[in-house]
Amino acid sequence: MPNSSYLDYNATAPVRPAVVEAMRAVLEQAGNPSSVHRFGREARRALESARAAVAMLVGVAPDQVVFMSGGTEANNQALRSARGPVVVSAIEHVSVLAAAPDAVAIPADAEGRIELPALERELARVAPEMVSVMLANNETGVIQPVRDVVEVAQRHGARVHCDAVQAGGKLAIDMTALGVDFLTLSAHKFGGPQGVGALVVRDGLEPDAFLRGGTQERRWRPGTENLPGIVGFGRACELALADSDWRERTGGLRDRLEAQIAALAPAARVFGRGAARLANTSCLTMPGVSNQTQLIAFDLAGIAVSTGSACSSGKVGPSHVLAAMGVDPREAASAVRVSLGWASTAEDVDRFVDAWGRLYARTRRPATDARPA
Ligand code: PLP
């Protein structure tokens, strides 16, 4: 859209043009990957080549990748395979929290990282079968110490699931080096289509699917595969790996945005600034201005941003992530999330900063300045 800026990549990223092309080719050609005729064999080839691309993104063997309908399904599948108690971080996405409603939740520190001493204590107390900790938080972008979590969990005999939906395509991921048993990915957060993702499974784990049906995806996920989506997912992975300076470019834009906001309002707070963060994410407050007011003003200015909570639920409410970090609810209510990505430009950042500055100045103006119309 002309004169508009899309700065909500953590909700969903625009699909890369080369992904659209790859998907179009599949949509124009019949073929079920389970059919034995040549159309089926061609579809199977496309499926397996996408699987190899996804595997390459996270450094595993292709047969560890199980295609699913997205991050929500993969998180549910991973957590439902736990037969005993589960421990999660309190800042997980709702698809993890809701899939394990009885889980013990570990709080975060003031920078938005899971509290490792609290995790250690709860593991000793609960002796869980599974621990679930995300790689990067969707609201703050804060990167979690997953390798340390694995080390602690293994000492207590627990498996680890890692929701890497926000990290996929944005951070270099080596699942084997991380040491997790399950890893969740979703295509639409980094230039692939919506409605497709993967649960990546440690080598040697046996399927325990909650869907019943055919033998697709080694029985982990029965049902005819979403081939156009999967091919788009694979292409997005290839592009993410090829575009290696993405992080530097986006990080530069994000830092410029934060520096300009700090110059306009030194009291504006950026959550998780003291921690390692995704290069594309900034969760920041406009002191004294509610995020509802901000979202409306930005929308009128043609700018798409969100509150963290709106990202997952479609409605606006208090952020459980900021609450888990101990942020005062009034301050949390003035936070919006800006998230950039592959097509973001300096003009997008400048448009946002300009709209931010105008709204902030307007709300600062003393009431006596207001002139009757
Ligand atoms: N996990 C995280 C951290 C997310 O940010 C999201 C989406 O917002 C999901 C899981 C759910 O992924 P999907 O939209 O593919 O179901």
Side-chain angles (χ1 to χ4, degrees), residues 10-11 69-73 75 92-93 95-96 134 136-138 163-166 184-189 195-197 311-312 337:
N10 288 10
S69 66
T72 297
E73 185 185 344
N75 283 344
E92 293 302 305
H93 187 259
S95 57
V96 165
M134 66 203 331
N137 183 264
N138 43 305
D163 175 353
V165 164
Q166 290 294 345
T184 294
L185 293 171
S186 179
H188 75 102
K189 304 295 186 180
V196 61
C311 147
S312 53
R337 180 190 65 190

Coordinates of all heavy atoms in Angstrom, one line a residue, residues 10-11 69-73 75 92-93 95-96 134 136-138 163-166 184-189 195-197 311-312 337, ligand 1:
N10 N 6.3 -9.7 13.4 CA 6.2 -10.8 14.4 C 4.8 -11.4 14.4 O 4.6 -12.5 14.9 CB 6.6 -10.4 15.8 CG 8.1 -10.2 15.9 OD1 8.8 -10.2 14.9 ND2 8.6 -10.0 17.1
A11 N 3.8 -10.6 13.9 CA 2.5 -11.1 13.8 C 2.4 -12.0 12.5 O 2.0 -13.1 12.6 CB 1.4 -10.0 13.7
S69 N 0.4 -27.8 10.5 CA -0.3 -26.6 10.0 C 0.2 -25.3 10.6 O -0.4 -24.3 10.3 CB -1.8 -26.8 10.4 OG -1.9 -26.7 11.8
G70 N 1.3 -25.4 11.4 CA 1.9 -24.1 11.9 C 2.4 -24.3 13.3 O 2.5 -25.4 13.8
G71 N 2.8 -23.2 13.8 CA 3.4 -23.2 15.2 C 2.5 -23.7 16.2 O 2.9 -24.5 17.1
T72 N 1.2 -23.3 16.2 CA 0.3 -23.7 17.2 C 0.1 -25.3 17.2 O 0.2 -25.9 18.3 CB -1.1 -23.1 16.9 OG1 -0.9 -21.7 17.0 CG2 -2.2 -23.5 17.9
E73 N 0.0 -25.9 16.1 CA -0.2 -27.3 16.0 C 1.1 -28.0 16.5 O 1.1 -29.0 17.3 CB -0.5 -27.8 14.6 CG -0.8 -29.3 14.7 CD -1.0 -30.0 13.3 OE1 -1.3 -29.2 12.3 OE2 -0.9 -31.2 13.2
N75 N 3.4 -26.9 18.6 CA 3.5 -26.7 20.0 C 2.6 -27.7 20.7 O 3.0 -28.3 21.7 CB 3.2 -25.3 20.4 CG 4.3 -24.3 20.1 OD1 5.5 -24.8 19.9 ND2 4.1 -23.0 20.1
E92 N 5.9 -17.8 27.6 CA 5.6 -18.6 26.4 C 4.4 -18.1 25.6 O 3.5 -17.4 26.2 CB 5.4 -20.1 26.7 CG 6.6 -20.8 27.3 CD 7.7 -20.8 26.3 OE1 7.6 -21.2 25.2 OE2 8.8 -20.4 26.8
H93 N 4.3 -18.4 24.4 CA 3.2 -18.1 23.5 C 1.9 -18.8 24.1 O 2.1 -19.9 24.6 CB 3.5 -18.5 22.1 CG 2.4 -18.1 21.1 ND1 1.4 -18.9 20.6 CD2 2.2 -16.9 20.5 CE1 0.7 -18.3 19.8 NE2 1.1 -17.0 19.7
S95 N -0.1 -20.6 22.7 CA -0.3 -22.0 22.2 C 0.5 -23.0 23.0 O 0.2 -24.2 23.0 CB 0.1 -22.1 20.7 OG 1.4 -21.6 20.5
V96 N 1.5 -22.6 23.7 CA 2.2 -23.5 24.7 C 1.5 -23.5 26.0 O 1.2 -24.5 26.6 CB 3.7 -23.0 24.8 CG1 4.3 -23.7 26.1 CG2 4.5 -23.3 23.6
M134 N 10.9 -21.0 24.9 CA 11.0 -20.5 23.5 C 12.4 -20.0 23.3 O 13.2 -19.7 24.2 CB 10.0 -19.4 23.3 CG 10.2 -18.2 24.2 SD 8.8 -17.1 24.5 CE 7.7 -17.3 23.1
A136 N 13.0 -17.3 21.2 CA 13.0 -15.8 21.2 C 11.5 -15.4 21.5 O 10.6 -16.0 20.9 CB 13.5 -15.2 19.9
N137 N 11.4 -14.4 22.3 CA 10.0 -14.0 22.7 C 9.3 -13.2 21.6 O 10.0 -12.2 21.1 CB 10.0 -13.3 24.0 CG 8.6 -12.9 24.5 OD1 8.1 -11.8 24.3 ND2 7.9 -13.9 25.0
N138 N 8.1 -13.4 21.4 CA 7.4 -12.7 20.3 C 7.1 -11.2 20.6 O 7.0 -10.4 19.7 CB 6.0 -13.4 20.0 CG 5.3 -13.9 21.2 OD1 5.8 -14.6 22.0 ND2 4.0 -13.5 21.3
D163 N 10.1 -23.6 21.4 CA 9.2 -22.9 20.4 C 10.1 -21.9 19.7 O 10.5 -20.8 20.3 CB 8.1 -22.3 21.1 CG 7.2 -21.4 20.2 OD1 7.6 -21.2 19.0 OD2 6.2 -20.9 20.6
A164 N 10.6 -22.2 18.5 CA 11.5 -21.3 17.8 C 10.8 -20.5 16.7 O 11.4 -20.1 15.7 CB 12.7 -22.1 17.2
V165 N 9.5 -20.3 16.9 CA 8.7 -19.7 15.8 C 9.2 -18.3 15.5 O 9.3 -17.9 14.3 CB 7.2 -19.6 16.2 CG1 6.4 -18.7 15.4 CG2 6.6 -21.0 16.1
Q166 N 9.5 -17.5 16.5 CA 10.0 -16.1 16.2 C 11.5 -16.1 15.9 O 11.9 -15.1 15.3 CB 9.7 -15.2 17.4 CG 8.3 -14.9 17.7 CD 7.6 -14.1 16.5 OE1 8.3 -13.5 15.7 NE2 6.3 -14.1 16.5
T184 N 9.9 -26.1 17.4 CA 8.8 -25.7 16.5 C 9.2 -24.5 15.6 O 9.8 -23.6 16.0 CB 7.6 -25.2 17.5 OG1 7.1 -26.3 18.2 CG2 6.5 -24.6 16.7
L185 N 8.7 -24.6 14.4 CA 8.9 -23.6 13.4 C 7.6 -23.2 12.7 O 6.7 -24.1 12.6 CB 9.9 -24.0 12.3 CG 11.3 -24.3 12.7 CD1 12.1 -25.0 11.5 CD2 12.0 -23.0 13.1
S186 N 7.5 -22.0 12.2 CA 6.3 -21.6 11.5 C 6.7 -20.7 10.3 O 7.6 -19.8 10.5 CB 5.4 -20.8 12.4 OG 4.2 -20.4 11.7
A187 N 6.2 -21.0 9.1 CA 6.7 -20.4 7.9 C 6.4 -18.9 7.8 O 7.1 -18.1 7.3 CB 6.1 -21.1 6.7
H188 N 5.2 -18.5 8.4 CA 4.7 -17.1 8.1 C 5.4 -16.0 8.8 O 5.1 -14.8 8.6 CB 3.2 -17.1 8.2 CG 2.7 -17.0 9.6 ND1 2.2 -15.9 10.2 CD2 2.5 -18.0 10.5 CE1 1.8 -16.1 11.4 NE2 1.9 -17.4 11.6
K189 N 6.3 -16.4 9.7 CA 7.0 -15.3 10.4 C 8.2 -14.8 9.7 O 8.9 -13.8 10.1 CB 7.4 -15.8 11.8 CG 6.3 -16.4 12.7 CD 5.3 -15.3 13.0 CE 4.2 -15.9 14.0 NZ 3.2 -14.9 14.4
G195 N -0.2 -20.9 7.8 CA -0.9 -22.2 7.9 C 0.1 -23.4 7.6 O -0.4 -24.5 7.2
V196 N 1.4 -23.2 7.8 CA 2.3 -24.3 7.6 C 3.5 -24.1 8.5 O 3.9 -22.9 8.7 CB 2.7 -24.5 6.1 CG1 3.4 -23.2 5.6 CG2 3.6 -25.7 5.9
G197 N 3.9 -25.1 9.1 CA 5.1 -25.1 10.0 C 5.6 -26.5 10.2 O 5.3 -27.4 9.4
C311 N -1.1 -9.8 19.1 CA -0.5 -10.7 18.2 C -1.0 -12.1 18.3 O -1.3 -12.7 17.3 CB 1.0 -10.7 18.4 SG 1.9 -12.2 18.1
S312 N -1.2 -12.5 19.5 CA -1.6 -13.9 19.7 C -3.1 -14.1 19.7 O -3.6 -15.1 19.4 CB -0.9 -14.5 20.9 OG -1.2 -13.7 22.0
R337 N 4.6 -3.0 20.2 CA 5.6 -3.8 19.6 C 5.8 -3.4 18.1 O 4.9 -3.4 17.4 CB 5.3 -5.2 19.7 CG 6.4 -6.1 19.1 CD 6.0 -7.5 18.9 NE 4.9 -7.7 18.0 CZ 4.2 -8.8 17.8 NH1 4.5 -9.8 18.5 NH2 3.2 -8.9 16.9
Ligands
PLP1 N1 4.8 -19.3 19.0 C1 5.2 -18.0 18.9 C2 6.3 -17.6 19.8 C3 4.4 -17.2 18.1 O1 4.8 -15.9 18.1 C4 3.4 -17.7 17.4 C5 2.5 -16.8 16.5 O2 2.3 -15.7 16.8 C6 3.1 -19.1 17.4 C7 3.8 -19.8 18.3 C8 1.9 -19.7 16.7 O3 2.3 -19.9 15.4 P1 1.2 -20.1 14.2 O4 0.7 -18.7 13.9 O5 2.0 -20.6 13.0 O6 0.2 -21.0 14.7

